[in-house]
Amino acid sequence: MKSTRQICSLTSSRPTLEGAGVHLRRALGFDEAPGFDPFLLLDDFRSNTPAHYIKGFPWHPHRGIETITYVLRGQVEHGDSMGNRGTIGAGDVQWMTAGSGIVHQEMPAGDPEGRMWGFQLWANLPASHKMMEPRYRDVKAAQIPEVPLPNGTKVRVISGAIGQVRGPVQGIVTEPVYLDVSVPPDTHFVHPIPAGHTAFAYVFEGEADFGQPAGRGARGGLAADGNLVSFSDGDQVAVKTGKAPARFLLISGKPIREPVAWYGPIVMNTDAELEL
Ligand code: MN
């Protein structure tokens, strides 16, 4: 008998100013991260106002983590100090393993209507991989399989698998699953997640019921646009929609369980390592 994960927390992304003055919504950050190991941060940057994103994220370093950028609308121009240049367009993913260090800039550019929308997730690296060679996985929209399920649900598989269909991003040490799930109204969606792995969902369209609260004080019930739901342990996540459809990111990964020393875009194990 598979055990269904319950809801540990249900929170709302909050307005945050980042980079050179980008107005975004932070769903997960420094204060919550201890409960989301191996994940550190999730930002939702959507805006129809170019002045709110155009200043972007000029030159800055990263070390010890991975940054995963998923663009829904508009594009992000990317460049790094090693001379790499590229554009992440609608539907594309850039999975960047900063490893020992990278200095880059990320500059959002809206679509022709001036609209921008994307997500950035930070995943931690274990001590054994923090100083690995930097690596990019640039995934174009067409390389990301969209799996239609018999109940009408559609899943874009960035990493992890739906049935026999595996996403293009593989071989990551924390075994992450990154799915973009669209569930029609009045539909059940159930997805297996390895027991012991951290799992959460971030809703960005519609609303859905992600299960029962895990204990006293936990909030259950419907999660809507902008809500982050974290799950208790178990073998699977079960989602149910009512009158409205829902679209959400479903993300899981293997916890690292190491000390975290985090200063801005650099995340190591000890304060001494931040000085280097
Ligand atoms: Mn960055």
Side-chain angles (χ1 to χ4, degrees), residues 62-227:
H62 288 287
R63 172 178 273 183
I65 61 169
E66 303 187 280
T67 69
I68 300 112
T69 307
Y70 178 29
V71 174
L72 295 182
R73 196 180 276 162
Q75 56 186 36
V76 176
E77 288 162 13
H78 177 264
D80 73 23
S81 53
M82 299 183 296
N84 296 311
R85 288 275 178 285
T87 298
I88 315 163
D92 297 347
V93 169
Q94 183 197 62
W95 197 296
M96 185 188 86
T97 305
S100 62
I102 203 150
V103 177
H104 74 165
Q105 62 174 351
E106 301 153 285
M107 305 305 283
D111 69 6
E113 284 77 49
R115 302 173 306 173
M116 179 72 227
W117 195 357
F119 304 102
Q120 188 166 84
L121 174 72
W122 290 13
N124 205 355
L125 288 167
S128 58
H129 287 68
K130 281 193 179 296
M131 296 301 276
M132 69 183 278
E133 195 81 0
R135 180 178 67 191
Y136 288 101
R137 302 270 170 85
D138 286 308
V139 184
K140 292 292 175 196
Q143 300 171 268
I144 299 173
E146 185 179 83
V147 181
L149 301 179
N151 66 11
T153 298
K154 288 180 182 162
V155 186
R156 295 193 85 218
V157 187
I158 294 161
S159 66
I162 290 282
Q164 301 302 310
V165 182
R166 296 199 66 80
V169 179
Q170 300 175 14
I172 305 288
V173 62
T174 48
E175 301 170 28
V177 170
Y178 193 129
L179 307 175
D180 171 355
V181 184
S182 298
V183 184
D186 292 314
T187 301
H188 278 269
F189 170 73
V190 177
H191 186 69
I193 289 175
H197 283 207
T198 302
F200 66 89
Y202 181 69
V203 182
F204 59 96
E205 282 176 23
E207 62 180 27
D209 183 344
F210 286 81
Q212 299 300 312
R216 286 210 319 180
R219 199 181 130 198
L222 288 179
D225 185 10
N227 284 151

